[in-house]
Amino acid sequence: FYKYVRFLPLFIISIVLALVAGYLYLRYTTPIYRSEGALMIRKDNGQPGGGGAGSDQFQQMFVLDNSINIQSEIELIQSRPVMERVVDTLGLNASYYSKGKIGETNIYRNAPFKLEVIQLKDSGTFSLDIEIINDYSFRLGEEQNAISFGHAFETGNGTFKLLRNSGPANVSQYKIIWKPTGAVARGLTKKLLVAPNGATGTLLLSLDATHPQLAADDINRLMIEYQVVTREDKNETNLRMLGFIDGRLADVQQELDTVTRRLLSYQNANNIIDPESQSS
């Protein structure tokens, strides 16, 4: 005890510093929220993916593979075109942040305004600093002139409008980061995890985001867009199949017409009217 008691002030200082560092870390580090979902992959006959008896004979006639490749479905879900549909549908090009004394907080759909893009001059990433003056006007960046909500304003990146929402403005300083659809889709795809749930034909999806509702909306919309893309792909396959059938029917019809014309020509040339009566 006497060997270490002389270091007691250092112990106390270390504990205080550790508690302060932990508090600052929890207070100013951006929290990450995870949303998870389960998606059942079904075959055309309504059975879960990977099993099921009784294929459609029509598809068998054209040697179509009715089985489900889980890995291919995972690649489809994680593909950029599907995620870009999610970004365009949810309008995720613009991200809204409230400024604090040190950090910034993602407020997603809780922003007191919404950015409307009238014309873009540059398709790259840019940001807008917004200072709300009152319920009717705001300042843009370092400019001193007030701009009314709903009125168009121009920057080096294009022409925009800021539409006031009904929600209250908890702070006065905000930041908008606008990114092109491809960049947002790439960022979300990197945070997306898709894994099969054993041999059940079910995929487990999870996504991390800086706002809980943003993560949940991404997962829910991604599953809807996957179903839409799958349906469109099946419709395109069916259209190609019908086009092939129509083409073959046209060829057969043409062949039948040719045979019929040859038969009629032969009957006329040999004066054949009723073959059975004439032969008897």
Side-chain angles (χ1 to χ4, degrees), residues 115-128 130 138 140 143 147 151-162 178:
L115 180 68
E116 179 180 321
V117 179
I118 300 176
Q119 183 183 7
L120 282 176
K121 295 181 180 178
D122 185 8
S123 59
T125 301
F126 61 89
S127 61
L128 299 173
I130 306 296
F138 64 94
L140 182 64
E143 296 183 5
I147 304 174
H151 287 197
F153 61 91
E154 188 172 353
T155 68
N157 302 103
T159 305
F160 310 92
K161 278 184 183 180
L162 216 58
W178 195 95

Side-chain angles (χ1 to χ4, degrees), residues 175-280:
K175 184 177 183 179
I176 304 174
I177 299 180
W178 195 95
K179 295 181 180 180
T181 301
V184 180
R186 283 194 300 270
L188 292 176
T189 303
K190 292 179 181 179
K191 301 174 184 177
L192 176 66
L193 296 177
V194 184
N197 185 17
T200 61
T202 303
L203 297 180
L204 301 179
L205 288 71
S206 65
L207 187 139
D208 296 338
T210 55
H211 194 281
Q213 190 61 45
L214 172 61
D217 289 349
D218 287 340
I219 289 293
N220 291 331
R221 194 69 217 178
L222 180 60
M223 292 192 287
I224 294 175
E225 293 298 335
Y226 164 77
Q227 294 172 353
V228 173
V229 170
T230 303
R231 191 180 307 116
E232 290 176 352
D233 182 65
K234 291 179 181 178
N235 291 339
E236 184 178 354
T237 302
N238 292 334
L239 288 176
R240 290 199 301 266
M241 186 187 303
L242 292 175
F244 171 78
I245 295 173
D246 291 340
R248 288 299 303 150
L249 288 176
D251 293 339
V252 172
Q253 182 66 37
Q254 185 176 2
E255 293 174 0
L256 289 176
D257 291 341
T258 302
V259 172
T260 302
R261 285 197 300 270
R262 292 177 61 185
L263 176 60
L264 292 176
S265 299
Y266 178 81
Q267 289 176 343
N268 291 331
N270 295 275
N271 198 21
I272 298 175
I273 301 174
D274 187 355
E276 293 183 2
S277 301
Q278 287 180 305
S279 60
S280 62

